[in-house]
Amino acid sequence: MLIQRIISSSLMITTLLIIIAVDDALDDVRLGLGTIPWLPGEGERIPRGILMLLLLLAALIPLTREMVRMMSARGSRLSWGFGYLSAAAGATCLYTLPHGPDGSSGSTALAGLLAAVLFLSVVQPLRRGEREGAIMSAAAALLCAVYLGLMPGFFLVIRWWHPAWTVVAIILITKASDIGAYFTGRWLGRTPLIPLISPKKTVEGLLGGLILSSVVAVAIAAASNAGHHSGHWITGQGEPVFIPYDYPLLYVAALGAFLGLVGQFGDLIASLFKRDAALKDSGGTVPGFGGVLDVLDSLLLAAPVGYALLRFTAWWLAPDA
C-alpha cells in the first residue's frame, strides 16, 4: 500500500508541476486576436489559468462519477451527465465571474447559475415519468455544483490574482498535512480524533500534520521572498501589474498550520459522505489511495479558505494596491 501511494503521488505531483509550469509560461504568450470580453485576458494575452480550468474540468469527470455513485447509494437518481454539467458550470462560472465589471454582476450570474441547476434537477424525475425523487435530485445536483464545482473553482480565482506557483504552494501545504498526519498517526497515534467518521485518524496524527504544513509553508514563503515571486496581480484598463511584497514568516507559519487544519476538515467531510454511503473508498481509480475524491478531498475545502487568506494577506501587506 505504501509503495503504491509513493508511486501514485510521484506521478500526480510530476504531472501537476508540468501543467502548472506550462500554465505559468502562457502568461507571456499573446493571442494577437484582441481581448475576449468574457474571459480574464488583458492586452491580448491568453487568459491566466485557462490550462488549469481544462485540468479541473478533466478531473471533474471521475470526481462526479464517484460522487454520483455515493449519492445513488442513498437513493439519489441523479445522472452522471447532469452531475458533471452542474459541477463544470460551477467551476467555469467562478473562473469568469471575478473579472466582470463589478461585483454585483458576478453575484447575479452565480445566483442565476444555482437557480438554473436547481430548476433543471427538479425536472429530471419528471422526464423519467416519476414524481418521487425530486428533492433528492435537487440536493444532489446542488451538491455537485457547489462541492465539486464552486469550491475547487477558487483555485482558478487564486490563479487570476496570483502567480501559478501560488496554487502549487496551497496544494503542497494542504497535502503536507495529509502526509504528516498519515506518518505521525502510524508511528505515534494513540488518541482517536473522531472515530465516528474516521476510526484511523488520531489527535497525534493531526498535530503532526499541522506541524508539517507549517514547516512547508515557511519554506515556500522563504523561497518565494528570496526569488521576489511574492505578491499579486492587479488589473485595469491596460496591462496587468504585479504588486510585490514579502510574506512575514511567522505569519505564514500560522497560516500554514491553519490551512493544514482546514485540509483535515475537508478530508473528514469526504469521509462522512463515504460512511453515509457505506463505502470505504470513493472509487478505485488511484492505486494506493482509492478514488480521485480520496486524493483531492482535503483540497476542496482548502481552495476557498486559501483564497480568503490570500486576499486578506494582500489587503494587509499592500493596502493601497
PDB file of all heavy atoms in Angstrom, residues 171-198:
ATOM      1  N   ILE A 171      -1.582  23.794  -2.561  1.00  0.00           N
ATOM      2  CA  ILE A 171      -1.750  22.341  -2.680  1.00  0.00           C
ATOM      3  C   ILE A 171      -0.715  21.613  -1.829  1.00  0.00           C
ATOM      4  O   ILE A 171      -1.041  20.674  -1.085  1.00  0.00           O
ATOM      5  CB  ILE A 171      -1.651  21.913  -4.152  1.00  0.00           C
ATOM      6  CG1 ILE A 171      -2.848  22.453  -4.944  1.00  0.00           C
ATOM      7  CG2 ILE A 171      -1.582  20.394  -4.275  1.00  0.00           C
ATOM      8  CD1 ILE A 171      -2.766  22.204  -6.434  1.00  0.00           C
ATOM      9  N   LEU A 172       0.551  22.035  -1.915  1.00  0.00           N
ATOM     10  CA  LEU A 172       1.608  21.369  -1.154  1.00  0.00           C
ATOM     11  C   LEU A 172       1.422  21.538   0.352  1.00  0.00           C
ATOM     12  O   LEU A 172       1.627  20.595   1.119  1.00  0.00           O
ATOM     13  CB  LEU A 172       2.975  21.922  -1.579  1.00  0.00           C
ATOM     14  CG  LEU A 172       3.435  21.583  -3.002  1.00  0.00           C
ATOM     15  CD1 LEU A 172       4.789  22.219  -3.283  1.00  0.00           C
ATOM     16  CD2 LEU A 172       3.491  20.078  -3.212  1.00  0.00           C
ATOM     17  N   ILE A 173       1.040  22.727   0.780  1.00  0.00           N
ATOM     18  CA  ILE A 173       0.830  22.972   2.213  1.00  0.00           C
ATOM     19  C   ILE A 173      -0.314  22.101   2.733  1.00  0.00           C
ATOM     20  O   ILE A 173      -0.223  21.493   3.800  1.00  0.00           O
ATOM     21  CB  ILE A 173       0.537  24.464   2.462  1.00  0.00           C
ATOM     22  CG1 ILE A 173       1.775  25.305   2.153  1.00  0.00           C
ATOM     23  CG2 ILE A 173       0.088  24.693   3.901  1.00  0.00           C
ATOM     24  CD1 ILE A 173       1.494  26.797   2.103  1.00  0.00           C
ATOM     25  N   THR A 174      -1.389  22.036   1.961  1.00  0.00           N
ATOM     26  CA  THR A 174      -2.548  21.242   2.385  1.00  0.00           C
ATOM     27  C   THR A 174      -2.238  19.757   2.396  1.00  0.00           C
ATOM     28  O   THR A 174      -2.559  19.044   3.355  1.00  0.00           O
ATOM     29  CB  THR A 174      -3.742  21.520   1.453  1.00  0.00           C
ATOM     30  OG1 THR A 174      -4.009  22.927   1.406  1.00  0.00           O
ATOM     31  CG2 THR A 174      -4.986  20.802   1.948  1.00  0.00           C
ATOM     32  N   LYS A 175      -1.598  19.276   1.326  1.00  0.00           N
ATOM     33  CA  LYS A 175      -1.276  17.853   1.253  1.00  0.00           C
ATOM     34  C   LYS A 175      -0.185  17.473   2.250  1.00  0.00           C
ATOM     35  O   LYS A 175      -0.102  16.300   2.665  1.00  0.00           O
ATOM     36  CB  LYS A 175      -0.858  17.465  -0.168  1.00  0.00           C
ATOM     37  CG  LYS A 175      -1.935  17.660  -1.216  1.00  0.00           C
ATOM     38  CD  LYS A 175      -3.238  16.967  -0.846  1.00  0.00           C
ATOM     39  CE  LYS A 175      -3.154  15.466  -0.879  1.00  0.00           C
ATOM     40  NZ  LYS A 175      -4.468  14.818  -0.589  1.00  0.00           N
ATOM     41  N   ALA A 176       0.649  18.433   2.653  1.00  0.00           N
ATOM     42  CA  ALA A 176       1.651  18.155   3.694  1.00  0.00           C
ATOM     43  C   ALA A 176       0.969  17.744   4.987  1.00  0.00           C
ATOM     44  O   ALA A 176       1.478  16.899   5.735  1.00  0.00           O
ATOM     45  CB  ALA A 176       2.533  19.387   3.919  1.00  0.00           C
ATOM     46  N   SER A 177      -0.189  18.331   5.247  1.00  0.00           N
ATOM     47  CA  SER A 177      -0.955  17.954   6.441  1.00  0.00           C
ATOM     48  C   SER A 177      -1.410  16.505   6.344  1.00  0.00           C
ATOM     49  O   SER A 177      -1.364  15.759   7.328  1.00  0.00           O
ATOM     50  CB  SER A 177      -2.157  18.884   6.602  1.00  0.00           C
ATOM     51  OG  SER A 177      -2.907  18.552   7.754  1.00  0.00           O
ATOM     52  N   ASP A 178      -1.843  16.090   5.156  1.00  0.00           N
ATOM     53  CA  ASP A 178      -2.235  14.686   4.949  1.00  0.00           C
ATOM     54  C   ASP A 178      -1.055  13.746   5.190  1.00  0.00           C
ATOM     55  O   ASP A 178      -1.175  12.719   5.869  1.00  0.00           O
ATOM     56  CB  ASP A 178      -2.763  14.488   3.528  1.00  0.00           C
ATOM     57  CG  ASP A 178      -4.127  15.135   3.304  1.00  0.00           C
ATOM     58  OD1 ASP A 178      -4.759  15.518   4.306  1.00  0.00           O
ATOM     59  OD2 ASP A 178      -4.542  15.257   2.143  1.00  0.00           O
ATOM     60  N   ILE A 179       0.110  14.117   4.629  1.00  0.00           N
ATOM     61  CA  ILE A 179       1.294  13.270   4.751  1.00  0.00           C
ATOM     62  C   ILE A 179       1.768  13.205   6.201  1.00  0.00           C
ATOM     63  O   ILE A 179       2.063  12.124   6.739  1.00  0.00           O
ATOM     64  CB  ILE A 179       2.418  13.794   3.836  1.00  0.00           C
ATOM     65  CG1 ILE A 179       1.978  13.702   2.376  1.00  0.00           C
ATOM     66  CG2 ILE A 179       3.704  13.015   4.065  1.00  0.00           C
ATOM     67  CD1 ILE A 179       2.918  14.401   1.406  1.00  0.00           C
ATOM     68  N   GLY A 180       1.838  14.374   6.836  1.00  0.00           N
ATOM     69  CA  GLY A 180       2.275  14.407   8.226  1.00  0.00           C
ATOM     70  C   GLY A 180       1.347  13.651   9.143  1.00  0.00           C
ATOM     71  O   GLY A 180       1.789  12.922  10.051  1.00  0.00           O
ATOM     72  N   ALA A 181       0.047  13.782   8.898  1.00  0.00           N
ATOM     73  CA  ALA A 181      -0.935  13.081   9.725  1.00  0.00           C
ATOM     74  C   ALA A 181      -0.846  11.576   9.508  1.00  0.00           C
ATOM     75  O   ALA A 181      -0.974  10.791  10.466  1.00  0.00           O
ATOM     76  CB  ALA A 181      -2.339  13.583   9.394  1.00  0.00           C
ATOM     77  N   TYR A 182      -0.607  11.166   8.268  1.00  0.00           N
ATOM     78  CA  TYR A 182      -0.539   9.730   7.951  1.00  0.00           C
ATOM     79  C   TYR A 182       0.636   9.068   8.674  1.00  0.00           C
ATOM     80  O   TYR A 182       0.465   8.054   9.369  1.00  0.00           O
ATOM     81  CB  TYR A 182      -0.411   9.555   6.442  1.00  0.00           C
ATOM     82  CG  TYR A 182      -0.253   8.114   5.998  1.00  0.00           C
ATOM     83  CD1 TYR A 182      -1.347   7.255   5.954  1.00  0.00           C
ATOM     84  CD2 TYR A 182       1.001   7.620   5.617  1.00  0.00           C
ATOM     85  CE1 TYR A 182      -1.202   5.932   5.546  1.00  0.00           C
ATOM     86  CE2 TYR A 182       1.155   6.301   5.205  1.00  0.00           C
ATOM     87  CZ  TYR A 182       0.049   5.468   5.173  1.00  0.00           C
ATOM     88  OH  TYR A 182       0.203   4.161   4.777  1.00  0.00           O
ATOM     89  N   PHE A 183       1.831   9.637   8.543  1.00  0.00           N
ATOM     90  CA  PHE A 183       3.008   9.006   9.130  1.00  0.00           C
ATOM     91  C   PHE A 183       3.070   9.176  10.638  1.00  0.00           C
ATOM     92  O   PHE A 183       3.428   8.242  11.371  1.00  0.00           O
ATOM     93  CB  PHE A 183       4.272   9.558   8.471  1.00  0.00           C
ATOM     94  CG  PHE A 183       4.508   9.029   7.091  1.00  0.00           C
ATOM     95  CD1 PHE A 183       4.248   9.808   5.977  1.00  0.00           C
ATOM     96  CD2 PHE A 183       4.970   7.741   6.901  1.00  0.00           C
ATOM     97  CE1 PHE A 183       4.459   9.321   4.697  1.00  0.00           C
ATOM     98  CE2 PHE A 183       5.193   7.235   5.621  1.00  0.00           C
ATOM     99  CZ  PHE A 183       4.933   8.020   4.523  1.00  0.00           C
ATOM    100  N   THR A 184       2.698  10.358  11.135  1.00  0.00           N
ATOM    101  CA  THR A 184       2.688  10.556  12.581  1.00  0.00           C
ATOM    102  C   THR A 184       1.649   9.665  13.238  1.00  0.00           C
ATOM    103  O   THR A 184       1.881   9.102  14.316  1.00  0.00           O
ATOM    104  CB  THR A 184       2.400  12.030  12.921  1.00  0.00           C
ATOM    105  OG1 THR A 184       3.326  12.877  12.243  1.00  0.00           O
ATOM    106  CG2 THR A 184       2.520  12.271  14.424  1.00  0.00           C
ATOM    107  N   GLY A 185       0.504   9.533  12.578  1.00  0.00           N
ATOM    108  CA  GLY A 185      -0.538   8.668  13.119  1.00  0.00           C
ATOM    109  C   GLY A 185      -0.107   7.206  13.175  1.00  0.00           C
ATOM    110  O   GLY A 185      -0.408   6.493  14.130  1.00  0.00           O
ATOM    111  N   ARG A 186       0.633   6.770  12.145  1.00  0.00           N
ATOM    112  CA  ARG A 186       1.098   5.385  12.123  1.00  0.00           C
ATOM    113  C   ARG A 186       2.144   5.127  13.208  1.00  0.00           C
ATOM    114  O   ARG A 186       2.186   4.050  13.815  1.00  0.00           O
ATOM    115  CB  ARG A 186       1.698   5.059  10.748  1.00  0.00           C
ATOM    116  CG  ARG A 186       0.667   4.942   9.643  1.00  0.00           C
ATOM    117  CD  ARG A 186       1.281   4.408   8.369  1.00  0.00           C
ATOM    118  NE  ARG A 186       1.820   3.049   8.551  1.00  0.00           N
ATOM    119  CZ  ARG A 186       2.365   2.335   7.574  1.00  0.00           C
ATOM    120  NH1 ARG A 186       2.447   2.842   6.350  1.00  0.00           N
ATOM    121  NH2 ARG A 186       2.834   1.116   7.802  1.00  0.00           N
ATOM    122  N   TRP A 187       3.000   6.101  13.464  1.00  0.00           N
ATOM    123  CA  TRP A 187       4.096   5.899  14.405  1.00  0.00           C
ATOM    124  C   TRP A 187       3.702   6.220  15.847  1.00  0.00           C
ATOM    125  O   TRP A 187       4.107   5.527  16.775  1.00  0.00           O
ATOM    126  CB  TRP A 187       5.281   6.772  14.001  1.00  0.00           C
ATOM    127  CG  TRP A 187       5.906   6.356  12.700  1.00  0.00           C
ATOM    128  CD1 TRP A 187       5.846   5.128  12.111  1.00  0.00           C
ATOM    129  CD2 TRP A 187       6.668   7.189  11.818  1.00  0.00           C
ATOM    130  NE1 TRP A 187       6.514   5.135  10.914  1.00  0.00           N
ATOM    131  CE2 TRP A 187       7.045   6.371  10.698  1.00  0.00           C
ATOM    132  CE3 TRP A 187       7.076   8.517  11.834  1.00  0.00           C
ATOM    133  CZ2 TRP A 187       7.803   6.868   9.640  1.00  0.00           C
ATOM    134  CZ3 TRP A 187       7.845   9.002  10.787  1.00  0.00           C
ATOM    135  CH2 TRP A 187       8.190   8.188   9.695  1.00  0.00           C
ATOM    136  N   LEU A 188       2.941   7.297  16.032  1.00  0.00           N
ATOM    137  CA  LEU A 188       2.682   7.780  17.381  1.00  0.00           C
ATOM    138  C   LEU A 188       1.205   7.830  17.750  1.00  0.00           C
ATOM    139  O   LEU A 188       0.879   8.155  18.890  1.00  0.00           O
ATOM    140  CB  LEU A 188       3.275   9.201  17.558  1.00  0.00           C
ATOM    141  CG  LEU A 188       4.771   9.359  17.265  1.00  0.00           C
ATOM    142  CD1 LEU A 188       5.155  10.841  17.340  1.00  0.00           C
ATOM    143  CD2 LEU A 188       5.604   8.544  18.245  1.00  0.00           C
ATOM    144  N   GLY A 189       0.333   7.546  16.801  1.00  0.00           N
ATOM    145  CA  GLY A 189      -1.099   7.717  17.046  1.00  0.00           C
ATOM    146  C   GLY A 189      -1.645   6.816  18.143  1.00  0.00           C
ATOM    147  O   GLY A 189      -1.473   5.596  18.093  1.00  0.00           O
ATOM    148  N   ARG A 190      -2.277   7.427  19.128  1.00  0.00           N
ATOM    149  CA  ARG A 190      -2.885   6.688  20.233  1.00  0.00           C
ATOM    150  C   ARG A 190      -4.311   7.159  20.527  1.00  0.00           C
ATOM    151  O   ARG A 190      -5.167   6.357  20.904  1.00  0.00           O
ATOM    152  CB  ARG A 190      -2.040   6.860  21.514  1.00  0.00           C
ATOM    153  CG  ARG A 190      -0.628   6.303  21.437  1.00  0.00           C
ATOM    154  CD  ARG A 190      -0.621   4.785  21.342  1.00  0.00           C
ATOM    155  NE  ARG A 190       0.745   4.268  21.356  1.00  0.00           N
ATOM    156  CZ  ARG A 190       1.505   4.137  20.283  1.00  0.00           C
ATOM    157  NH1 ARG A 190       1.026   4.519  19.097  1.00  0.00           N
ATOM    158  NH2 ARG A 190       2.726   3.644  20.348  1.00  0.00           N
ATOM    159  N   THR A 191      -4.547   8.455  20.355  1.00  0.00           N
ATOM    160  CA  THR A 191      -5.829   9.044  20.746  1.00  0.00           C
ATOM    161  C   THR A 191      -6.723   9.239  19.533  1.00  0.00           C
ATOM    162  O   THR A 191      -6.386  10.016  18.631  1.00  0.00           O
ATOM    163  CB  THR A 191      -5.609  10.412  21.428  1.00  0.00           C
ATOM    164  OG1 THR A 191      -4.614  10.286  22.440  1.00  0.00           O
ATOM    165  CG2 THR A 191      -6.909  10.908  22.019  1.00  0.00           C
ATOM    166  N   PRO A 192      -7.857   8.548  19.449  1.00  0.00           N
ATOM    167  CA  PRO A 192      -8.764   8.718  18.294  1.00  0.00           C
ATOM    168  C   PRO A 192      -9.238  10.166  18.175  1.00  0.00           C
ATOM    169  O   PRO A 192      -9.509  10.830  19.182  1.00  0.00           O
ATOM    170  CB  PRO A 192      -9.918   7.767  18.605  1.00  0.00           C
ATOM    171  CG  PRO A 192      -9.358   6.783  19.579  1.00  0.00           C
ATOM    172  CD  PRO A 192      -8.352   7.537  20.394  1.00  0.00           C
ATOM    173  N   LEU A 193      -9.318  10.631  16.946  1.00  0.00           N
ATOM    174  CA  LEU A 193      -9.773  12.006  16.708  1.00  0.00           C
ATOM    175  C   LEU A 193     -11.296  12.067  16.655  1.00  0.00           C
ATOM    176  O   LEU A 193     -11.930  12.661  17.533  1.00  0.00           O
ATOM    177  CB  LEU A 193      -9.167  12.533  15.406  1.00  0.00           C
ATOM    178  CG  LEU A 193      -9.485  13.979  15.035  1.00  0.00           C
ATOM    179  CD1 LEU A 193      -8.962  14.928  16.094  1.00  0.00           C
ATOM    180  CD2 LEU A 193      -8.910  14.321  13.662  1.00  0.00           C
ATOM    181  N   ILE A 194     -11.881  11.484  15.633  1.00  0.00           N
ATOM    182  CA  ILE A 194     -13.341  11.404  15.507  1.00  0.00           C
ATOM    183  C   ILE A 194     -13.670   9.998  15.025  1.00  0.00           C
ATOM    184  O   ILE A 194     -13.891   9.779  13.823  1.00  0.00           O
ATOM    185  CB  ILE A 194     -13.905  12.472  14.542  1.00  0.00           C
ATOM    186  CG1 ILE A 194     -13.419  13.859  14.913  1.00  0.00           C
ATOM    187  CG2 ILE A 194     -15.434  12.461  14.546  1.00  0.00           C
ATOM    188  CD1 ILE A 194     -13.919  14.963  13.996  1.00  0.00           C
ATOM    189  N   PRO A 195     -13.694   9.016  15.905  1.00  0.00           N
ATOM    190  CA  PRO A 195     -13.889   7.629  15.475  1.00  0.00           C
ATOM    191  C   PRO A 195     -15.212   7.373  14.776  1.00  0.00           C
ATOM    192  O   PRO A 195     -15.327   6.433  13.990  1.00  0.00           O
ATOM    193  CB  PRO A 195     -13.798   6.842  16.792  1.00  0.00           C
ATOM    194  CG  PRO A 195     -14.063   7.842  17.867  1.00  0.00           C
ATOM    195  CD  PRO A 195     -13.533   9.146  17.355  1.00  0.00           C
ATOM    196  N   LEU A 196     -16.202   8.218  15.032  1.00  0.00           N
ATOM    197  CA  LEU A 196     -17.491   8.033  14.378  1.00  0.00           C
ATOM    198  C   LEU A 196     -17.378   8.196  12.863  1.00  0.00           C
ATOM    199  O   LEU A 196     -18.097   7.552  12.097  1.00  0.00           O
ATOM    200  CB  LEU A 196     -18.508   9.040  14.936  1.00  0.00           C
ATOM    201  CG  LEU A 196     -19.932   8.961  14.373  1.00  0.00           C
ATOM    202  CD1 LEU A 196     -20.564   7.624  14.738  1.00  0.00           C
ATOM    203  CD2 LEU A 196     -20.772  10.128  14.889  1.00  0.00           C
ATOM    204  N   ILE A 197     -16.463   9.052  12.422  1.00  0.00           N
ATOM    205  CA  ILE A 197     -16.297   9.329  10.997  1.00  0.00           C
ATOM    206  C   ILE A 197     -15.103   8.581  10.414  1.00  0.00           C
ATOM    207  O   ILE A 197     -15.203   7.937   9.371  1.00  0.00           O
ATOM    208  CB  ILE A 197     -16.138  10.851  10.750  1.00  0.00           C
ATOM    209  CG1 ILE A 197     -17.380  11.600  11.219  1.00  0.00           C
ATOM    210  CG2 ILE A 197     -15.875  11.123   9.270  1.00  0.00           C
ATOM    211  CD1 ILE A 197     -17.272  13.099  11.065  1.00  0.00           C
ATOM    212  N   SER A 198     -13.964   8.691  11.093  1.00  0.00           N
ATOM    213  CA  SER A 198     -12.726   8.093  10.574  1.00  0.00           C
ATOM    214  C   SER A 198     -11.975   7.432  11.727  1.00  0.00           C
ATOM    215  O   SER A 198     -11.225   8.109  12.436  1.00  0.00           O
ATOM    216  CB  SER A 198     -11.863   9.168   9.908  1.00  0.00           C
ATOM    217  OG  SER A 198     -10.752   8.601   9.283  1.00  0.00           O
TER     218      SER A 198
END
